[in-house]
Amino acid sequence: MKLLARVMPMVLCSVFAVAAQGQMAAPNGTGLAPERLQRIGTVMNEHVAKGRIAGAIGLIARRGKVGYFETYGFQDKEAGVAMRQDTIFRMYSMTKPITGVAVLMLYEEGKLFLNDPVSKYLPELAKMQVAVVETDPQTGKKTRYSVPAQREITILDLLRHTSGIDYRGPEDADGKPIYEKMGTNSTDQTIGDMVKKISQAPLVHHPGTMWEYGLSMDVLARLVEVVSGNTYDKFLEERIFKPLGMIDTGYNVPPEKQSRFAKLYAPAEGGTIKLNTTPAQTSYLKPAVNFGGGSQLVSTARDYLRFCQMLLNGGELDGVRILSRKSVELMSADHLGDMPRGFDLMGPGYGFGLTVAVSRGVGRSGALGSTGEYNWGGAAGTRFWIDPKEQMIGIFMIQILPHTNLTYGTQFRQLAYQAISD
């Protein structure tokens, strides 16, 4: 279904009916009211003017057409470089749905079952232990030990974050995170080495008993390498990015594209921002060593739109089929049910599918949307959602790390939905 024409490098055809860079145009048939879309720019430009954000991008597509594609502020505030439609962003956890698609591609080829124990392919993850912490009610003293896992980690567990693998790992005898001591989260190692370190520490929960966000996607990236016989970066490039025309998506920003790479900011006093001075500012400017599946990609709004439109189309874009419609349905179904949650990132009214949060209905979420809408976001504030009922895609790009308690993406989504006028 050729709903989005393949154009490079900028969006130029009527399907991506946008005016001059930074301006909006609502093409016929999107059902988005231009006067209501103007509210988005008013709000976002106020955030820029008051120093709350350096810049951002908002993109809304509906029924296969882009009805809104606007930039706000700067990609580099200090240098006065304006935000542009092809600015490159650190996607962080918006990497995860791409990993979900990669695993489902191998599933469709009959190379694995989702209920397979992952140890069938990564034997180091067999016979895992689970950490137990007991607290004496009288003294408050904590005793830490481990027990055998009640069952093996399955591929399904990894896809829905019920593997028992989180980001911190269990605590050692002194109460310190084991992963930190082992360097498990370091991206200065191969994904294979990372998985070996994960296998050497106990899980934080028994598999299949708790939703807990963590390094499951990185294990899946290694799974894809082993099953496909290719490195994960090459698998993504050959099987997803190149077929979909995602020309600016990858694990680093090469020299010829670095003028389009957004600066990274951090929260400052009074709700303002400051330049982020952590290694994350420049880490993507050098070739990657760790081709992880959880947080390592960079991309653009245009590229990620093509990925989202493929999913909304039922796995196909411009005559290129990546997945079956049934696999997209599997991916976007709620696989969590009433399972307990650890650190809950989904919010009220949401379950979880295979790498994405899934809406259980607006009556439960208390927010504009639709039952069955699915979404995820990144640590620096990037966000996307796909609403099959409304045939709608929303993408919001920003670079503030950490983004805890900041709601710019949520606000953009609210303003996007209120613009629907049919």
Side-chain angles (χ1 to χ4, degrees):
M1 187 160 51
K2 295 189 177 182
L3 294 182
L4 293 178
R6 182 173 299 173
V7 291
M8 302 179 189
M10 294 297 293
V11 181
L12 298 175
C13 72
S14 61
V15 174
F16 285 85
V18 296
Q21 180 171 309
Q23 302 301 312
M24 63 183 179
N28 292 333
T30 65
L32 300 171
E35 68 276 9
R36 285 180 165 265
L37 290 172
Q38 289 176 3
R39 297 175 179 177
I40 306 174
T42 299
V43 170
M44 294 300 163
N45 287 319
E46 181 181 358
H47 290 321
V48 173
K50 292 187 175 182
R52 299 170 185 148
I53 66 175
I57 294 176
L59 191 159
I60 309 166
R62 195 159 181 245
R63 299 171 184 152
K65 299 177 181 179
V66 169
Y68 184 89
F69 193 1
E70 188 163 353
T71 65
Y72 326 103
F74 304 92
Q75 74 169 31
D76 184 341
K77 183 178 179 180
E78 289 68 29
V81 179
M83 187 67 71
R84 42 192 286 176
Q85 291 178 345
D86 62 349
T87 292
I88 298 171
F89 292 79
R90 302 159 189 81
M91 302 305 283
Y92 291 115
S93 286
M94 278 172 63
T95 301
K96 289 176 170 68
I98 293 174
T99 295
V101 167
V103 172
L104 288 172
M105 292 172 76
L106 297 177
Y107 171 67
E108 286 191 343
E109 293 169 3
K111 294 181 178 178
L112 52 81
F113 293 105
L114 300 189
N115 288 319
D116 281 344
V118 70
S119 63
K120 179 178 178 180
Y121 311 94
L122 304 175
E124 60 267 37
L125 292 172
K127 300 180 180 179
M128 294 293 289
Q129 296 284 307
V130 177
V132 177
V133 180
E134 292 184 349
T135 304
D136 187 301
Q138 303 298 323
T139 66
K141 181 180 179 181
K142 293 184 177 181
T143 303
R144 297 173 175 85
Y145 60 96
S146 61
V147 298
Q150 294 170 352
R151 67 164 175 80
E152 295 252 10
I153 301 169
T154 66
I155 296 172
L156 180 63
D157 285 324
L158 295 165
L159 285 164
R160 65 181 186 177
H161 291 293
T162 61
S163 64
I165 300 168
D166 69 355
Y167 274 120
R168 297 177 76 251
E171 296 176 345
D172 63 16
D174 298 321
K176 296 181 179 179
I178 289 179
Y179 284 179
E180 182 178 339
K181 182 192 300 185
M182 297 175 63
T184 305
N185 286 288
S186 172
T187 55
D188 293 326
Q189 62 185 334
T190 68
I191 202 68
D193 288 339
M194 178 182 280
V195 171
K196 288 178 182 177
K197 290 179 180 178
I198 290 171
S199 73
Q200 293 165 5
L203 304 173
V204 295
H205 302 292
H206 288 281
T209 64
M210 177 77 76
W211 189 91
E212 191 74 68
Y213 205 49
L215 295 170
S216 291
M217 300 300 123
D218 298 292
V219 177
L220 288 173
R222 179 58 181 158
L223 171 72
V224 171
E225 290 188 334
V226 171
V227 174
S228 70
N230 210 345
T231 59
Y232 191 56
D233 62 322
K234 290 182 180 178
F235 182 93
L236 294 182
E237 178 64 27
E238 295 170 4
R239 300 292 304 277
I240 298 178
F241 301 156
K242 187 174 181 180
L244 291 180
M246 297 172 67
I247 58 175
D248 289 320
T249 303
Y251 282 92
N252 72 299
V253 183
E256 65 272 17
K257 297 182 180 182
Q258 289 176 8
S259 63
R260 294 192 281 125
F261 191 36
K263 286 292 185 181
L264 186 65
Y265 293 86
E269 293 183 1
T272 60
I273 55 168
K274 59 185 178 182
L275 199 64
N276 190 307
T277 57
T278 70
Q281 186 69 255
T282 58
S283 60
Y284 288 95
L285 302 181
K286 59 183 180 181
V289 175
N290 182 290
F291 304 120
S295 61
Q296 289 90 327
L297 289 174
V298 296
S299 191
T300 61
R302 171 208 175 274
D303 275 13
Y304 213 85
L305 173 63
R306 295 190 64 79
F307 175 74
C308 291
Q309 190 69 55
M310 175 274 294
L311 291 173
L312 184 57
N313 290 354
E316 179 269 342
L317 181 66
D318 292 344
V320 176
R321 179 159 293 282
I322 302 296
L323 287 177
S324 161
R325 173 176 60 86
K326 301 305 292 184
S327 292
V328 177
E329 292 173 2
L330 179 66
M331 178 180 179
S332 57
D334 179 15
H335 291 258
L336 203 58
D338 296 326
M339 188 181 299
R341 306 175 185 195
F343 182 56
D344 189 357
L345 295 174
M346 284 88 79
Y350 278 84
F352 201 78
L354 307 183
T355 72
V356 290
V358 181
S359 174
R360 295 172 174 173
V362 296
R364 301 180 69 176
S365 68
L368 298 178
S370 305
T371 302
E373 168 266 319
Y374 54 103
N375 70 80
W376 207 238
T382 57
R383 182 170 184 177
F384 83 96
W385 75 88
I386 299 172
D387 188 331
K389 182 177 180 180
E390 293 293 343
Q391 286 290 294
M392 183 182 192
I393 295 166
I395 296 173
F396 183 72
M397 304 290 247
I398 195 169
Q399 297 281 265
I400 303 175
L401 181 74
H403 205 78
T404 309
N405 299 324
L406 299 181
T407 58
Y408 303 117
T410 301
Q411 191 175 43
F412 173 75
R413 173 195 163 98
Q414 180 176 318
L415 291 166
Y417 269 108
Q418 65 83 36
I420 295 176
S421 61
D422 57 3

